[in-house]
Amino acid sequence: MKAVVFHAVGDIRLDDVPDPKVQQPSDAVVKLTASAICGTDLHFVRGTMAGMKPGTVLGHEGVGIVEEVGGDVRNLRPGDRVVVGSTIGCGFCSYCRAGYYAQCDTTEPAGGTAFFGGPEAAGAYDGMQAEAVRVPFGGINCVKLPDEVTDDQAIMISDIFPTGFFGAKLAEVSRGDTVCVFGAGPVGIFAVISARLEGAGRILCVDRHPDRLDLAREQGAETVNFDEEDPIDAIARLTGGIGPDRVIDAVGVEAERPHRGPAAGRTETPDAEFSAEVSQTAPEANPDGELWQPGGAPTMALRWAVRSVAKAGTIAIIGVYPPQVQAFPIGEAMNKNLTLKMGNCNHRRYIPELIDIVRAGVIDPDQVLTKREGITSAIEAYEHFDRRETGWTKVELEPVG
Ligand SMILES: [Zn+2]
Ligand SMILES: [Zn+2]
């Protein structure tokens, strides 16, 4: 079958690889009808997140048809249409039972989060930018789709909608709250949508890309472009000097440098200090020399979050930080009595609920989808997405022609 395979930093290819097979009685094999490219994939390709094993199939978002199941998969039959969650849980350990699928003891016993198409520390499970995928614990990690939910909608429920929803839950968004979402990428947009679902009174959204800010405004957010104004000043002014009650960091570690615009000056010095503080892993080859080393990138969105949030407010971190990042303005947070919550999304915990929300027509998640490409154009699609070209905010891949 065709699959997008990681070879090295800056080197991914569309290769022919062996078809996946049921290996364990709890496995399912799913023939994919939709996959997608995610910002997280770019961190692996750029080397800002290290540890990818050459030969790993990329991609952690998928929708498809069950092709084969092992004997211990009792809730699925070949032919069932399913969405596959990005993280891999077993469904029976104490963490999965408590809803912490991203901390499953069985699929990632060494700690961390097991997910498709990720580095060795995440289990090096082959991903879903392919024609088919082996899903460990298929009965848990595949969720059946009703006919009313289309593939374009369902692919959003594989990762980015649950992650945004998880962000709103972590941030403790409740009725009437003023919420600020940093990052208007696909996850940020779903954080805006989810804050609305949780009853937020006002939602601000900060980014630098006008097309992404347009998407945020379409979802009811008040937007701040940090290339045009200082975001801390703008947020303070828009909230009467008080700040938002809840902040969601949907950016994580930055993948690109350098920073321009009014925001650059205020953080340049701390960035340098913070970069020096973090432990550097072996530098990866950076194809264009413009990328941060693993662990060396600044965490500006997070520092803006601490600076801008109201006293006694809550910050949720759903953007991705590699384990090497050690820096955080803890003193500032402590002296503001902040609550901090963070983590990798427990996709499986939210997917059934989100399927119901989409089926009921409350939210149409495919509004966030901006491009559809065949898998044979996957490498080109990565390049457009990597350059953050206008209109390439969320890219769906169609593995079956
Ligand atoms: Zn993703
Ligand atoms: Zn588990």
Side-chain angles (χ1 to χ4, degrees), residues 1 6 13 18 32 36 64 69 82 87 102 111 139 150 155 199 206 210 219 245 248 274 365 383:
M1 67 165 183
F6 177 92
R13 300 176 209 167
L32 293 156
V69 292
V82 295
T87 49
T150 66
I155 195 66
V206 182
Q219 299 301 333
D245 308 293
I248 300 171
F274 278 50
E383 286 164 3

Side-chain angles (χ1 to χ4, degrees), residues 36-41 59-61 86 115 158-160 163 187 320 347 394:
I37 305 177
C38 177
T40 306
D41 299 325
H60 54 261
E61 304 181 13
S86 296
F115 66 97
S158 179
D159 180 23
I160 59 177
T163 303
V187 169
V320 175
H347 295 87
K394 187 64 190 175

Side-chain angles (χ1 to χ4, degrees), residues 31-240:
K31 192 172 176 61
L32 293 156
T33 53
S35 182
I37 305 177
C38 177
T40 306
D41 299 325
L42 288 185
H43 282 298
F44 306 137
V45 177
R46 292 168 166 187
T48 37
M49 294 187 72
M52 285 297 289
K53 189 169 139 195
T56 305
V57 176
L58 288 166
H60 54 261
E61 304 181 13
V63 175
I65 312 277
V66 175
E67 202 167 57
E68 194 190 344
V69 292
D72 286 351
V73 177
R74 305 300 174 94
N75 53 351
L76 298 174
R77 286 273 175 271
D80 284 343
R81 210 171 139 254
V82 295
V83 55
V84 185
S86 296
T87 49
I88 306 169
C90 70
F92 53 71
C93 75
S94 61
Y95 286 99
C96 286
R97 286 177 196 216
Y100 291 102
Y101 290 91
Q103 297 299 326
C104 176
D105 263 343
T106 313
T107 55
E108 189 45 283
T113 299
F115 66 97
F116 292 96
E120 276 189 288
Y125 293 92
D126 276 329
M128 298 192 267
Q129 289 164 9
E131 292 182 80
V133 65
R134 178 180 79 91
V135 181
F137 301 102
I140 300 298
N141 299 305
C142 299
V143 182
K144 266 205 244 187
L145 287 166
D147 291 342
E148 302 94 302
V149 176
T150 66
D151 275 16
D152 288 354
Q153 293 174 324
I155 195 66
M156 304 292 140
I157 304 176
S158 179
D159 180 23
I160 59 177
F161 194 176
T163 303
F165 194 71
F166 175 61
K169 293 282 185 195
L170 283 183
E172 305 173 327
V173 175
S174 56
R175 195 150 294 282
D177 282 349
T178 294
V179 178
C180 181
V181 176
F182 283 92
V187 169
I189 299 295
F190 277 110
V192 168
I193 290 170
S194 302
R196 215 176 64 209
L197 284 172
E198 298 291 302
R202 284 177 73 192
I203 306 167
L204 312 184
C205 186
V206 182
D207 201 291
R208 66 163 18 147
H209 298 282
D211 59 325
R212 295 184 173 206
L213 290 170
D214 285 345
L215 279 175
R217 264 195 309 277
E218 279 167 27
Q219 299 301 333
E222 303 170 49
T223 57
V224 174
N225 185 330
F226 70 81
D227 269 350
E228 291 169 2
E229 56 187 333
D230 184 303
I232 305 293
D233 293 347
I235 293 166
R237 206 169 55 247
L238 291 169
T239 56

